[in-house]
Amino acid sequence: MLLEKIGNAVLEGDDDVVCELVEKALAEGTKPLDVLEQGLVPGMDEVGKLFKTGEMFVPEVLMAANAMQAGNDILKPLMVGETREMKGKIIIGTVKGDLHDIGKKIVGMMLEGAGYEVIDLGIDVTPERFLGALDETQADCVGMSAMLTTTMTVMDEVAAAIKADPKYADVKIMIGGAPVTADFGEKIGAKFSYDAASAVDLANELMA
């Protein structure tokens, strides 16, 4: 089946094949939303499972994420009027002073694949930008990444600002990155995930 082949091509991280099969599926009359939900998303789901069990590694996950993105780029302009049921809205970003992007990017792609609307603020994100984006988007959750111990204080700052303002009472906070720990998360009032696959599990738990 063509949609299954699209999922397999995502799993293999083959951008060209994904794009070719997506175009073919559309030409055959498959709805863009069906191509996404029955082709690209199951492929990325499988990537998440294999990453979790140690059968896939970061470079392969990144290739799969890029392949899914390539297919998604074809579908997005065609999905006007087709609404995908979203589980929630999540802002993600690497905190101020930190320029690491790969882990955060994988988390974003996996969350998108799992059915969340993701607003990626990029790298070197200030507390003001996190809070401004929260006001602009009315997101359900803020996800912060730090790969340097020295930048973890920014997570504390953002979490404290969210906790202090009643209008953010329902906003969940997720954190991750090499030096970050569950203990640190507990201390600042945030939930910790150790990798991209567990970030999806955590988001599902928080948004349930």
Side-chain angles (χ1 to χ4, degrees):
M1 190 184 169
L2 197 50
L3 294 176
E4 199 177 310
K5 284 182 182 174
I6 290 172
N8 289 336
V10 168
L11 194 56
E12 286 161 19
D14 196 325
D15 305 33
D16 294 338
V17 172
V18 167
C19 292
E20 189 185 308
L21 293 174
V22 165
E23 296 280 15
K24 192 176 177 187
L26 293 170
E28 287 179 5
T30 310
K31 286 184 179 177
L33 194 59
D34 290 342
V35 177
L36 176 66
E37 292 188 334
Q38 295 170 41
L40 296 174
V41 168
M44 206 61 204
D45 279 347
E46 190 59 29
V47 170
K49 288 173 192 164
L50 293 174
F51 182 56
K52 204 171 181 180
T53 56
E55 293 168 76
M56 272 184 99
F57 301 98
V58 169
E60 297 159 297
V61 173
L62 198 55
M63 282 171 69
N66 287 335
M68 180 182 171
Q69 187 67 62
N72 207 20
D73 287 345
I74 296 170
L75 298 175
K76 265 184 184 170
L78 307 172
M79 286 201 293
V80 182
E82 284 195 62
T83 313
R84 187 183 177 201
E85 188 79 32
M86 288 293 177
K87 291 182 186 172
K89 199 182 286 186
I90 303 178
I91 290 166
I92 63 169
T94 303
V95 297
K96 181 174 169 53
D98 207 318
L99 306 179
H100 292 86
D101 198 36
I102 290 177
K104 184 256 312 158
K105 199 181 233 182
I106 293 173
V107 168
M109 288 300 300
M110 286 202 170
L111 286 169
E112 274 190 352
Y116 292 95
E117 183 182 341
V118 177
I119 299 103
D120 188 344
L121 303 180
I123 55 174
D124 199 23
V125 184
T126 62
E128 294 75 21
R129 181 73 188 103
F130 275 114
L131 296 171
L134 202 45
D135 292 336
E136 286 162 29
T137 63
Q138 304 292 300
D140 307 290
C141 179
V142 173
M144 294 179 280
S145 169
M147 294 298 283
L148 304 168
T149 312
T150 50
T151 60
M152 285 166 60
T153 52
V154 181
M155 291 178 163
D156 192 0
E157 206 178 318
V158 175
I162 290 171
K163 298 285 179 191
D165 197 325
K167 73 179 171 188
Y168 302 135
D170 295 327
V171 173
K172 310 290 191 288
I173 306 166
M174 291 168 52
I175 58 172
V180 185
T181 62
D183 285 346
F184 177 73
E186 208 169 297
K187 188 177 145 198
I188 68 169
K191 295 291 184 184
F192 164 74
S193 69
Y194 59 90
D195 64 19
S198 67
V200 172
D201 291 341
L202 179 58
N204 289 339
E205 194 183 304
L206 293 175
M207 307 283 193

